[in-house]
C-alpha cells in the first residue's frame, strides 16, 4: 500500500495512506496528539518506578520515542512491547525527522536503533528503556496480567473496525495488571461501549488539538461481583 509523508499542523510529519484516506497521526499535529494522548494521559498516570507498556501499532515509532525521552528525564524503567503487523521501513522512519522536530537531535541514535533492531526479542535502547517489537496481529496476543499501560493506537474504527471490538478489548483487559490503564485517541460511542462490555471503567477526557475527547480505560480488581461497579466517569466537558 502506498505511503506518502505529509507535514501536520504542528510542523511534525506523519504518513498518509491515500487508498484508505487515513493518516498515522492527527493532521492537527502528530507530536501534539501523541504527547497528549499517550504521555500526558497515559504514562504520567503510571507513577510506578518500573512500567511495562504494550503498544498496539508501532507505526513510525513516535510514541516509543516520546516515551523514551520522557523517561530519560526521570528515573522510570520502561519495558516497551510494540505489536505491528505492517512495519514502516527504516528509511521512512528517518524521513519523519522527529528528533530534529523535537529539538533533540541527540536522540537520533536511539530512534534509529528502535527501527533497525531485530523483531521478536528485547533490546536495550538505553539504560532504563528496553524495547521488544512483535510483527504480528494484536489479536494473537496471549499475555495475561503483564502490562501496566496500553497505548491503543490502531487505525481509526472506520478503517479497521475489527480492531475495536469487544473481543479485542477483552484481550486487552486480560493483558493488563489490576489498576492498569489503556489510552486511545478515539472517543466513539461504540468504542466506549465495547470497553465497558469488556469490563473496563472508562473515562472521557479532553482530547488533543482537533478532537473534543479521548478515552482512558482502567482495569479494576473485582472485589464483590454482587455489587456492580460504576464503570463510566465523565471528566471531560461533554
Amino acid at each position: 500500500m502506498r505511503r506518502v509523508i505529509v507535514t501536520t499542523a504542528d510542523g511534525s510529519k506523519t504518513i498518509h495512506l491515500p487508498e484508505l484516506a487515513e493518516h498515522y497521526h492527527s493532521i492537527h499535529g502528530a507530536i501534539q496528539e501523541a504527547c497528549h494522548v499517550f504521555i500526558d494521559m497515559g504514562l504520567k498516570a503510571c507513577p510506578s518506578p518500573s512500567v511495562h507498556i504494550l503498544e498496539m501499532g508501532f507505526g513510525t515509532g513516535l510514541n516509543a520515542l516520546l516515551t523514551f525521552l520522557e523517561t530519560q528525564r526521570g528515573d522510570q524503567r520502561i519495558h516497551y512491547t510494540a505489536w505491528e503487523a505492517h512495519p514502516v521501513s527504516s528509511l521512512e522512519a528517518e524521513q519523519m525527522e522527529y528528533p530534529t522536530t523535537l529539538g533533540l537531535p541527540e536522540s537520533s541514535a536511539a530512534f534509529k536503533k528502535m527501527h533497525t533492531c531485530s523483531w521478536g526479542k528485547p533490546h536495550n535502547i538505553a539504560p532504563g528503556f528496553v524495547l521488544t517489537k512483535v510483527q504480528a496481529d494484536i489479536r494473537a496476543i496471549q499475555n495475561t496480567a503483564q502490562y501496566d499501560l496500553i497505548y491503543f493506537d490502531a487505525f481509526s474504527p472506520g478503517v479497521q473496525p475489527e480492531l475495536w471490538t469487544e473481543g479485542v478489548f477483552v484481550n486487552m483487559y486480560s493483558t493488563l495488571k489490576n489498576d492498569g490503564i489503556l489510552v486511545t485517541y478515539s472517543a466513539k460511542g461504540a468504542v466506549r461501549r465495547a470497553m465497558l462490555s469488556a469490563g473496563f471503567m472508562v473515562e472521557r477526557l479532553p482530547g488533543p488539538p482537533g478532537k473534543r475527547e479521548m478515552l482512558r480505560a482502567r482495569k479494576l480488581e473485582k472485589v464483590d461481583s454482587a455489587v456492580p461497579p460504576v464503570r463510566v466517569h465523565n471528566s471531560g466537558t461533554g
Side-chain angles (χ1 to χ4, degrees), residues 2 4 21 27 30 69 145 154 159 166 174 197-198 208 221 237:
R2 187 165 67 98
V4 179
I27 60 172
L69 293 172
V159 172
E166 178 183 341
S174 71
S197 296
E221 184 176 8
T237 58

Side-chain angles (χ1 to χ4, degrees), residues 6 9 81 122 153 226:
V6 298
T81 302
D153 200 17

Side-chain angles (χ1 to χ4, degrees), residues 51-55 79-83 134 141 143-150 172 174-181 219:
V51 181
H52 290 254
I53 298 175
L54 171 65
E55 181 179 22
H79 301 268
Y80 198 106
T81 302
W83 283 58
V134 180
I141 196 167
N143 298 323
T144 301
Q146 181 174 337
Y147 300 103
D148 303 288
L149 172 62
I150 296 175
M172 296 296 98
S174 71
T175 69
L176 282 171
K177 301 174 185 177
N178 286 325
D179 206 38
I181 63 174
K219 177 179 180 177

Side-chain angles (χ1 to χ4, degrees), residues 6-39:
V6 298
T7 301
T8 66
D10 67 357
S12 59
K13 295 180 180 179
T14 190
I15 292 176
H16 176 53
L17 302 176
E19 290 85 350
L20 298 178
E22 181 79 341
H23 293 82
Y24 275 54
H25 308 95
S26 170
I27 60 172
H28 298 282
I31 288 177
Q32 288 183 35
E33 177 191 46
C35 284
H36 178 85
V37 174
F38 301 109
I39 304 302

Side-chain angles (χ1 to χ4, degrees), residues 36-152:
H36 178 85
V37 174
F38 301 109
I39 304 302
D40 294 344
M41 301 300 178
L43 183 61
K44 291 181 180 180
C46 294
S48 172
S50 180
V51 181
H52 290 254
I53 298 175
L54 171 65
E55 181 179 22
M56 163 51 195
F58 185 63
T60 65
L62 177 57
N63 297 334
L65 176 63
L66 292 172
T67 302
F68 165 79
L69 293 172
E70 186 67 26
T71 56
Q72 294 304 292
R73 301 184 183 105
D75 56 2
Q76 268 187 325
R77 299 184 304 277
I78 299 293
H79 301 268
Y80 198 106
T81 302
W83 283 58
E84 175 60 64
H86 305 287
V88 304
S89 69
S90 297
L91 177 59
E92 288 170 318
E94 182 179 352
Q95 291 172 331
M96 295 295 103
E97 300 179 334
Y98 292 138
T100 301
T101 304
L102 289 162
L104 296 167
E106 64 274 16
S107 65
S108 296
F111 186 58
K112 181 177 180 179
K113 188 173 181 180
M114 289 177 184
H115 282 278
T116 58
C117 67
S118 59
W119 294 75
K121 63 180 183 179
H123 295 272
N124 291 302
I125 302 300
F129 192 95
V130 177
L131 171 66
T132 303
K133 299 186 298 184
V134 180
Q135 188 173 355
D137 190 310
I138 193 67
R139 289 171 292 182
I141 196 167
Q142 295 181 340
N143 298 323
T144 301
Q146 181 174 337
Y147 300 103
D148 303 288
L149 172 62
I150 296 175
Y151 294 166
F152 200 86

